[in-house]
């Protein structure tokens, strides 16, 4: 099935296709603001986009997708952080860029092909603003700031239906759109912000005086430079739909006189314990917060894919326990396939098969269909999970070891590996028989740990969840993660 995605602008599900003659699909995803660690909500958006990137590459072929994701390294938040810490802006943004990269790597998100920074593209932003000034879409305010004149673009509001949402003075949307007093109309937005004392050294020369670019023009300029005037897909979290993406469309289409993006996709937000994440509610998690509790980054990746990307997802620690168990279960089933296919005795043979898990659906066609139908990750995971359970539970007699049967298992192994690892990016490591035996003997669990685990299991059976949670923490501190199953538990050392 061809890859289809809901288009937030046209409000319909449509097939994704490259439009340029070179056949390269141009994909832009708004990146993080690098002033603090990204939280797990941000990572929901980046993990969903990573699955999308993987599917695009599987669909159009290697080298046929160009994925660009920016770093916002100058804005009010980054400048404030640098000022509060008395450090140069570039030092602060480098620290958080490095952390973002490390977290992305732990979550197995593929690096974009280009990762441009706002500060590295000041000239490109100035050039675009210059064109907008010359075309009459922008004006310079008395203080030296430059604003985009929203009334100059007839299509303004088509993405967010902002006109229908009543742009009244004092409305919440007006407040969102407003960012200074110097504008001719409250809906106008800043392209260039005149230098203020609190900006410190973070300003650049421009034809309109010293200042810094507005946030929205950054993405428009980087897209133009790295992907061209018309791109095939633009994505981000739902909060970016207005005003950020609405403003990007206005600037780019007025400047370039071309359609900006052929397809728009917005993923929904992550909630934690049913509420919006915030520091004051104490429900804001980073990846480090979760690994410190003993969870693996892959469990977070799995948990973030357990909800439909276009619906809000409620995150709980329980969903991470479920994800850890699911990952182990998938690994065990994949290993069983490998055993039945007769490829698990040597690492080299296994790696060779894995490197060539070519386009085979095996029994997983329905899961691929789910995934390609507007990225329905929960349906795809559910279908695939049922499938691997059913196959691996099927009786396996010695007489099944015919070449024909083995080849059937090999097909299923490759198909499952391709789905879980190449599409979902779950990084499931299939072990050889020898590796499994060695791990078992190395992993004899210390008796103090078994005792704690037994105590916790008893507490859980007695529904004393507070005690069970406290014991789980104790185990995590000692370096062990306890995975509950219906009929018992297993203990795994935490890999740090
Ligand atoms: P920021 O660093 O704030 O620019 O955000 C980076 C990305 O994370 C953007 O695509 C946001 O839309 C997205 N995002 C922010 N908060 C959440 C959340 N709670 N759930 C999902 N995505 C989010
Ligand atoms: Zn953006």
């Amino acid at each position: 099935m061809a890859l289809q995605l809901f288009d937030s602008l046209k409000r319909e599900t449509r097939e994704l296709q490259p439009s340029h003659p070179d056949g390269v699909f141009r994909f832009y995803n708004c990146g993080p603001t690098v002033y603090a660690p990204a939280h797990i909500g941000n990572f929901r958006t980046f993990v969903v986009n990573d699955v999308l990137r993987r599917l695009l590459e599987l669909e159009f072929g290697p080298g046929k997708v160009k994925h660009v994701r920016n770093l916002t390294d100058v804005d009010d938040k980054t400048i404030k952080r640098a000022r509060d810490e008395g450090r140069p802006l570039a030092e602060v943004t480098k620290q958080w860029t490095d952390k973002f990269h490390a977290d992305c790597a732990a979550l197995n998100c593929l690096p974009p092909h280009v990762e441009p920074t706002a500060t590295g593209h000041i000239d490109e932003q100035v050039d675009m603003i210059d064109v907008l000034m010359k075309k009459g879409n922008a004006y310079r305010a008395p203080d030296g700031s430059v604003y985009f004149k929203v009334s100059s673009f007839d299509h303004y509001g088509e993405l967010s239906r902002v006109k229908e949402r009543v742009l009244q003075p004092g409305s919440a949307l007006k407040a969102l759109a407003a960012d200074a007093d110097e504008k001719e109309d409250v809906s106008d937005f800043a392209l260039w912000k005149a230098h203020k004392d609190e900006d410190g050294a973070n300003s650049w020369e421009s034809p309109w005086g010293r200042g810094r670019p507005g946030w929205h023009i950054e993405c428009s300029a980087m897209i133009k430079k790295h992907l061209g005037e018309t791109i095939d897909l633009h994505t981000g979290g739902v909060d970016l739909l207005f005003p950020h993406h609405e403003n990007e469309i206005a600037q780019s289409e007025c400047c370039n006189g071309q359609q900006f993006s052929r397809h728009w996709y917005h993923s929904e937000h992550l909630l934690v314990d049913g509420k919006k994440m915030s520091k004051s509610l104490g429900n804001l998690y980073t990846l480090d917060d979760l690994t410190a509790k003993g969870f693996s980054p892959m469990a977070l990746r799995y948990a973030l894919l357990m909800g439909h990307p276009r619906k809000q997802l409620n995150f709980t620690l329980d969903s991470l326990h479920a994800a850890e168990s699911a990952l182990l279960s998938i690994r065990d089933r994949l290993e069983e396939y490998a055993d039945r296919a007769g490829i698990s005795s040597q690492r080299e043979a296994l790696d060779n098969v894995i490197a060539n898990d070519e386009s085979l659906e095996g029994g997983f066609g329905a899961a691929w269909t789910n995934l390609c139908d507007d990225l329905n990750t929960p349906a795809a995971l559910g279908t695939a999970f049922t499938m691997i359970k059913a196959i691996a539970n099927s009786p396996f007699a010695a007489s099944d070891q015919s070449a024909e049967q083995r080849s059937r298992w090999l097909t299923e192994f490759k198909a499952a590996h391709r789905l879980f690892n190449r599409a979902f990016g779950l990084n499931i490591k299939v072990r050889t028989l020898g590796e499994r035996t060695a791990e078992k003997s190395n992993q004899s669990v210390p008796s103090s740990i078994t005792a704690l685990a037994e105590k916790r299991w008893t507490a859980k059976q007695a529904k004393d969840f507070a005690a069970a949670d406290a014991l789980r923490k104790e185990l995590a501190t000692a370096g062990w993660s306890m995975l509950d199953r219906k009929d018992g538990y297993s203990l795994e050392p935490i890999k740090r």
Side-chain angles (χ1 to χ4, degrees):
M1 178 182 179
L3 182 54
Q4 306 195 68
L5 210 57
F6 185 77
D7 180 347
S8 330
L9 179 62
K10 302 209 170 73
R11 272 124 174 117
E12 61 185 18
T13 304
R14 287 189 303 117
E15 209 176 287
L16 292 168
Q17 282 295 344
S19 59
H20 291 254
D22 61 8
V24 175
F25 189 91
R26 285 148 169 87
F27 168 33
Y28 186 83
N29 170 211
C30 288
T33 309
V34 279
Y35 71 108
H39 55 62
I40 60 171
N42 302 132
F43 281 119
R44 177 183 198 202
T45 296
F46 296 126
V47 165
V48 164
N49 276 274
D50 184 59
V51 174
L52 187 51
R53 145 91 184 262
R54 288 164 180 273
L55 287 177
L56 287 167
E57 283 186 340
L58 289 171
E59 173 101 357
F60 302 128
K64 289 292 182 193
V65 178
K66 186 167 178 191
H67 173 203
V68 179
R69 188 182 64 212
N70 71 305
L71 294 165
T72 298
D73 63 348
V74 58
D75 77 330
D76 295 348
K77 287 184 273 193
T78 45
I79 291 177
K80 181 174 184 317
R81 175 59 59 106
R83 201 175 55 237
D84 290 351
E85 294 180 358
R87 297 162 69 201
L89 179 67
E91 192 182 298
V92 171
T93 56
K94 176 166 189 325
Q95 174 191 349
W96 294 113
T97 298
D98 290 348
K99 179 63 182 146
F100 176 67
H101 287 162
D103 286 355
C104 281
L107 287 165
N108 204 26
C109 291
L110 299 169
H113 300 108
V114 188
E115 194 176 43
T117 59
T119 56
H121 292 74
I122 300 291
D123 288 350
E124 287 81 356
Q125 296 175 75
V126 167
D127 286 350
M128 274 189 97
I129 300 171
D130 202 34
V131 174
L132 291 169
M133 284 289 280
K134 289 188 175 127
K135 286 189 165 184
N137 299 105
Y139 59 89
R140 183 183 186 276
D143 72 342
S145 294
V146 179
Y147 292 97
F148 183 88
K149 198 184 192 53
V150 164
S151 61
S152 73
F153 181 54
D154 286 346
H155 298 288
Y156 194 85
E158 283 181 5
L159 178 68
S160 57
R161 303 281 201 266
V162 74
K163 282 182 187 150
E164 294 159 26
R165 293 200 218 170
V166 197
L167 255 185
Q168 295 294 342
S171 78
L173 281 174
K174 268 290 195 204
L176 256 179
D179 47 19
D181 303 323
E182 308 259 347
K183 305 189 269 191
E184 288 173 4
D185 185 278
V186 72
S187 304
D188 295 348
F189 59 88
L191 296 166
W192 187 258
K193 297 184 166 195
H195 178 74
K196 289 194 188 131
D197 287 347
E198 60 259 38
D199 293 342
N202 305 305
S203 63
W204 292 263
E205 283 306 336
S206 83
W208 317 284
R210 268 196 99 68
R212 60 180 167 98
W215 169 37
H216 316 299
I217 193 74
E218 160 196 336
C219 288
S220 284
M222 291 191 254
I223 287 173
K224 184 172 181 173
K225 167 140 191 215
H226 297 286
L227 292 171
E229 295 184 348
T230 299
I231 64 171
D232 297 308
L233 175 64
H234 192 313
T235 67
V238 70
D239 56 307
L240 300 188
L241 201 136
F242 183 85
H244 185 51
H245 290 162
E246 197 73 77
N247 294 353
E248 277 187 45
I249 296 174
Q251 299 158 161
S252 293
E253 297 202 349
C254 288
C255 175
N256 304 329
Q258 303 284 337
Q259 181 185 21
F260 177 44
S261 180
R262 299 172 63 240
H263 209 117
W264 286 87
Y265 179 76
H266 293 92
S267 44
E268 257 294 350
H269 268 189
L270 185 74
L271 305 177
V272 172
D273 296 325
K275 298 187 194 85
K276 192 178 151 104
M277 251 185 292
S278 86
K279 278 209 175 107
S280 56
L281 285 175
N283 66 350
L284 190 148
Y285 289 113
T286 63
L287 178 61
D288 284 354
D289 294 334
L290 299 177
T291 50
K293 287 182 191 294
F295 296 107
S296 68
M298 272 315 108
L300 176 62
R301 184 173 172 108
Y302 191 100
L304 292 176
L305 294 171
M306 273 159 52
H308 194 294
R310 286 197 305 104
K311 296 201 175 109
Q312 290 189 337
L313 173 66
N314 186 31
F315 172 86
T316 60
L317 289 182
D318 273 350
S319 66
L320 281 184
H321 294 307
E324 292 280 20
S325 302
L327 285 169
L328 279 183
S329 181
I330 295 168
R331 183 197 66 184
D332 292 351
R333 313 282 175 180
L334 282 176
E335 288 175 349
E336 193 168 342
Y337 283 15
D339 295 348
R340 293 185 182 199
I343 52 165
S344 49
S345 51
Q346 281 180 345
R347 187 75 251 169
E348 213 185 323
L350 194 51
D351 284 345
N352 210 4
V353 170
I354 288 169
N356 294 297
D357 60 351
E358 68 275 352
S359 180
L360 293 167
E361 287 186 348
F364 296 90
W368 282 104
T369 304
N370 293 143
L371 209 45
C372 291
D373 182 9
D374 196 25
L375 217 57
N376 192 342
T377 53
L381 283 173
T383 312
F385 207 81
T386 312
M387 185 71 200
I388 50 168
K389 266 199 339 215
I391 302 180
N393 286 343
S394 65
F396 184 62
S399 59
D400 284 339
Q401 284 177 343
S402 63
E404 198 185 306
Q405 278 296 340
R406 282 189 173 208
S407 127
R408 193 188 132 224
W409 287 114
L410 188 62
T411 303
E412 295 304 336
F413 173 81
K414 285 182 180 179
H417 195 275
R418 184 177 165 86
L419 180 71
F420 287 114
N421 280 352
R422 303 234 342 239
F424 281 111
L426 291 170
N427 207 10
I428 292 164
K429 298 260 176 355
V430 181
R431 302 162 304 170
T432 61
L433 284 165
E435 285 163 357
R436 278 173 254 166
T437 319
E439 250 178 57
K440 253 193 203 134
S441 54
N442 290 341
Q443 270 181 17
S444 46
V445 185
S447 55
S448 57
I449 298 298
T450 318
L452 274 178
E454 278 301 312
K455 231 168 119 184
R456 185 180 162 273
W457 185 250
T458 315
K460 198 179 160 197
Q461 298 308 301
K463 301 211 180 312
D464 183 355
F465 296 115
D469 272 356
L471 285 158
R472 179 190 288 288
K473 274 193 197 129
E474 225 177 295
L475 280 163
T477 312
W480 290 84
S481 138
M482 183 163 167
L483 303 170
D484 297 345
R485 297 174 203 280
K486 242 190 236 145
D487 50 353
Y489 60 86
S490 60
L491 288 159
E492 293 266 323
I494 296 167
K495 291 179 197 76
R496 296 194 204 270

